[in-house]
Structure formats: C-alpha cells, structure tokens
Amino acid sequence: MDNNHYDAIVVGSGLGGLTAGALYAQRGKRVLVLERHDKFGGAATVFNRMKMRIEAGLHEIDGLGENDIKAALWQELGLSSLLEPVPVCSLFAVLTDIQGPELVIPEGMGNARATFTRRFPQHAKSIRRYFRVIKQIHTSLHGLTRVRRDRSGWKPWLWPQLISHLWTVLQYNRTNLSEFLQSLFGNDEDIKKLLCCNVTYYTHDPVNLSLMFYSAAQASYHEGGGHYIRGGSQALSDALIAIIEEAGGEALRRRQVNEILVEKERVSGVAHEYVPSLMKERKGPPRDIQLAFAPVIFGNAAPHILKELLPAEMRQGFFAPYRGREVSTSLWSLFLGFDCRPADFGVSNYSTFIIPKRLSCLDSLPDMVRMMSQLPHGAAEAVCVFVDYDQIESGLNNDGRYLGVICGLDSIENWLKLDDEAYDRHRNAWADALVAQLDSHFPGIARHVVYQDLATARTCRRFLNTPSGAVYGFVPPLPFIHGGGPDASTPVAGLYLASAFGSHGGGFTGAMLSGEQAAKQVLGEA
C-alpha cells in the first residue's frame, strides 16, 4: 500500500473519531488521524500552565458498571487494562439558598432516594417514582442496545423483556424532563433544583431535554457512580491513539483538513495542511499541502464544518438532514490553581454544585446562559459546579499546586461584539467575580488562588471548532428514538459522522458511542 493510502481517515481527534478509528484499526484497517491542534483528544485533553497539569474537559464519566451502555465498548477496546478509573465517592454536594444544610448525594440509587426523601418527606411517593422511572428507562435502553449489538433479544425466551423495553420507549419517548418533573412535584421548585442540579451536564433547557436522554445518563451516574480517569482525559485519548498506531496507522498533529476529496460521488481522501498555531488567526496561503486517500472518512466534527470541506455542489445535499437542528449550549470553565488544599476551607466533596437564589425555577435555567453578556457587579450569582481534583487520586498534580475548576453555562452571543482588548477585560472581570462567589461559600479560599484562566464559549469555538462553541452536539430531539435506529452515515457516500454531533449525542459517553456506531456501520456489524 502507498504511504498516503489508508483504509480510513479520521478528521479531528475527539473521542468520537478516535473511537471509530480505534475500532476500525482493531479489524486490521490502516487508519490516519489528522488533528489541527498540538494535542489529540479535542475536549479530552490535559494542558500545562505554570507547572500545573490542567484537565480541559473531564469532570467525571458516568457509570462504568455492568449495566452501563458503554461497558461493552470499553471492554472491546481493552480500555480497562489501559486506564485506571478513579471513583469520585459521593456523586456530588449541593449548596443553595434553600433552607437546610449542604446536601450530599451518595452513590447508589437507593441511597440517593433515601437522601432526597429525608430532605423532602412530603414528596416521598413522587421521589420513589422519579428513581423508578429513570432506572426503568436506563434498563430498557441498555436492553435494546444489547439486542442491536448481538441480536440476543430475538431468542424466544427473551421476548417478554424485549416487549417490556419497547413499551418503556413508547411510554416516555415524547416526554421532556420539565413536564416529567411537573407531573411529580407540581410547582415545588426547590426539589427540582436539587434533584436535577447537574442538568447542566446535558443541556441549558429542561423544557427541551428528552427524558429518555436524561435518564440514560443520570441513572448511570446513580447506579454506577462517577469516575475520573487517573492522569486525566488525555490518558483516554492517548490510549485510543496507541491502538491506532499499534495497528500500523498514523496520527498527525497540527494538520488541518481543508478539503474532502470526492470521486464519482464518493469520498476518496482529503487535502490537509500544516497549522502553526490555533492561538493566532491564520493569514496567507495554505502551507505544506498534502493529500491522503481512503474510501472511508470518519468526520469528528460538526456537520456545519464538514459541509465547508466538500465540493460546493455537494454541500446543500449533505447538510439537508441537519438543517434546522438546534446545537447545544456552550460552557465557560474557570481553571484555578491553589497553593493549598481547597479542603482547608471547607470543600468536602469532589463536585459541589452551587444553585443561587437568582435561579427561581429549573425552567428558567436558559436565562443563566446570557449572564455574562454584562459586566458583573460584585460576586457572581452563577449556577455552576466546583470540581476539586485534590479530593481524589487524579494523578494530575503532586507539587504543592492544587487544581480546581468552576464550570457553568455560556453562549457565544455573550462575547461576539467584543474586540480582543474588551474581551480580555470582560473575561477577567468575570473570573474575579466567580472567585468571589466561590469565596462566599468557602471563606478565605480566594486568597490562595495563584492561577486563574477563564475559558468561554469563544474559547470552545476556537479550540473545538464547533458552531457557537457548542459542547454537546445537537440538542437531543423529541421523540428521542426515531424509526430505523441510530445512523452515522451521511448523504455523501463513505463519509460518516463520528462526534458529539453523531447519532448518540454529546458528552464523553455520547461521543464514544457515536464513534462506535460509525465504525460498526462501515464494518457491517451495526
């Protein structure tokens, strides 16, 4: 085989593309990965600042229990022997202006149910139904996924289970999270905000969040707990790259694809060029253009980006299935370095959600997305999560520097009208306000911040190359499950979507499952 001919090319190196590439490589295929950044992994990376290793995106991965929807994929890739998942112990704590002490949610669905029942005894019956339903949905989706993978559900003695799973889908497929909570708790917003404090892991709008999508992930957290990967999410990305390279493939950094080649209505390869830096806008002609050929391309990118790489006459037809679909929210992340342990100031959990009085009801969460459009006045009042990586054996820092990250919802609209100088002033003002908010809950912690850097939706757009800096792909549709099942193919033959914008949605789990779907569809195993 010629050096520039491959069995598949992966455009971008996020978890979706790397999963597709690794599965394809395991079947004896030669794979080329092209990444425009200086690190592989997209949001699944670790970067260095001031002698600190900073996690770019991963707070925790849901589940990893035997009923977890990605357990079979994890096993097939051999990741259990390559990575060390670190349990985060209690799922999270919640700090609110609601009367009562800090609420700590333990692992285990029964334990969580008991905790919420003690806080809200008047809703005991509805709390039981909430956990019963999300577990039922999670179990049914896992069962249907198993059927799709190995067809075991077609055995006659398993038909009653299959029928039960299908009934669950029919019952809840068109339900959104907001209406489900309303049916259980009416207008009591206090329990909704506590029960779903981590909803920002999935969306900015409970009204448009599929209950099926929410339950698949949320029940996995409760049943299997949360896990961090020792050494950071970069370890996961690097493990997938290693699988590709050990099978004879290649992975190239600082190579940006600027054209998808098409021959006889089918992809035939790509043209790619050297990118010196993503920090500065590129000027001048392309540099060091090279060609690579393959009959299959896994697009680890949004369809909006892939469209522009295709010949002009094919763009409209390619994008037709995605036109009108809403992209997800973006996020801001304030990376903090401390010179002492956050635990010294009262931080007692790995993840602490902060729900301010400003959030009057869960359905008003979209209002928080535009919070940063104006300069702050004093301490921030953000709906956010503070992650203290020193609470676990993260494998990141052991030299007297302690990493914490505050994260919340953001919109590109908050930053578009600012020139570079105004953007930096605005960003720094919000960083200070967010540190002040953290200090209001953990007095004295602000004095020990030795490093702070706020990444915004504008940062996400630049480094992740997604429309509006979207981090979760498309908003999950209603109904959640459509006829025909998940599909990674696109209107262009040989081009498959393997990213957070793929058939399984966003987040680390969704991106990997979308990559699995793409690879197995090409291989005829889906």
Side-chain angles (χ1 to χ4, degrees), residues 485-501:
D487 187 2
S489 64
T490 72
V492 176
L495 177 56
Y496 293 81
L497 208 55
S499 73
F501 289 84

Side-chain angles (χ1 to χ4, degrees), residues 253-256 272-277 282 286-290:
R253 301 179 181 88
R254 294 201 182 280
R255 302 300 305 186
Q256 177 169 292
H272 57 99
E273 62 172 302
Y274 172 70
V275 181
S277 174
R282 191 192 69 191
R287 313 178 193 195
D288 183 29
I289 295 180
Q290 297 179 20

Side-chain angles (χ1 to χ4, degrees), residues 336-504:
L336 297 171
F338 300 95
D339 62 7
C340 62
R341 290 184 165 86
D344 295 341
F345 302 92
V347 179
S348 57
N349 288 273
Y350 177 68
S351 296
T352 302
F353 284 86
I354 300 174
I355 312 294
K357 188 180 296 183
R358 179 176 177 177
L359 183 69
S360 58
C361 65
L362 195 67
D363 286 355
S364 67
L365 194 60
D367 297 338
M368 305 300 292
V369 175
R370 296 305 306 275
M371 179 187 69
M372 289 185 173
S373 61
Q374 304 294 323
L375 284 169
H377 300 286
E381 293 182 87
V383 175
C384 57
V385 58
F386 175 61
V387 182
D388 176 12
Y389 288 89
D390 185 54
Q391 294 281 340
I392 61 172
E393 295 294 329
S394 68
L396 292 176
N397 298 290
N398 298 298
D399 56 358
R401 289 290 183 263
Y402 306 96
L403 174 65
V405 178
I406 313 176
C407 186
L409 298 167
D410 199 9
S411 168
I412 196 68
E413 300 297 328
N414 295 332
W415 312 95
L416 282 180
K417 297 180 181 179
L418 303 175
D419 61 28
D420 289 347
E421 185 176 345
Y423 171 71
D424 286 338
R425 286 199 306 270
H426 203 102
R427 190 169 62 94
N428 291 334
W430 271 107
D432 291 340
L434 291 166
V435 170
Q437 181 182 13
L438 185 68
D439 194 75
S440 70
H441 291 283
F442 305 106
I445 198 171
R447 295 195 301 272
H448 294 272
V449 174
V450 294
Y451 169 81
Q452 66 182 46
D453 186 26
L454 179 63
T456 70
R458 187 164 148 175
T459 314
C460 292
R461 186 178 65 173
R462 175 191 294 169
F463 285 97
L464 300 181
N465 200 23
T466 59
S468 302
V471 293
Y472 300 138
F474 288 117
V475 173
L478 284 170
F480 181 59
I481 295 180
H482 299 263
D487 187 2
S489 64
T490 72
V492 176
L495 177 56
Y496 293 81
L497 208 55
S499 73
F501 289 84
S503 54
H504 287 269

Side-chain angles (χ1 to χ4, degrees), residues 129-148:
R129 182 164 186 264
Y130 167 86
F131 282 100
R132 184 172 66 250
V133 169
I134 66 169
K135 181 177 182 177
Q136 180 184 352
I137 292 173
H138 176 256
T139 300
S140 293
L141 290 175
H142 177 266
L144 292 173
T145 299
R146 188 187 64 180
V147 170
R148 179 176 60 82

Side-chain angles (χ1 to χ4, degrees), residues 1-63:
M1 180 179 288
D2 295 337
N3 286 337
N4 64 342
H5 283 73
Y6 303 84
D7 296 303
I9 297 171
V10 182
V11 178
S13 70
L15 289 181
L18 292 184
T19 299
L23 287 171
Y24 214 56
Q26 282 186 333
R27 304 302 193 276
K29 307 294 185 180
R30 186 166 179 252
V31 176
L32 171 66
V33 178
L34 296 170
E35 169 56 52
R36 67 194 189 110
H37 198 25
D38 60 356
K39 290 180 177 292
F40 297 117
T45 57
V46 172
F47 60 93
N48 299 314
R49 294 290 186 276
M50 292 182 63
K51 298 182 179 180
M52 288 183 60
R53 300 182 70 229
I54 298 175
E55 172 61 59
L58 178 62
H59 294 164
E60 58 189 0
I61 291 179
D62 63 285

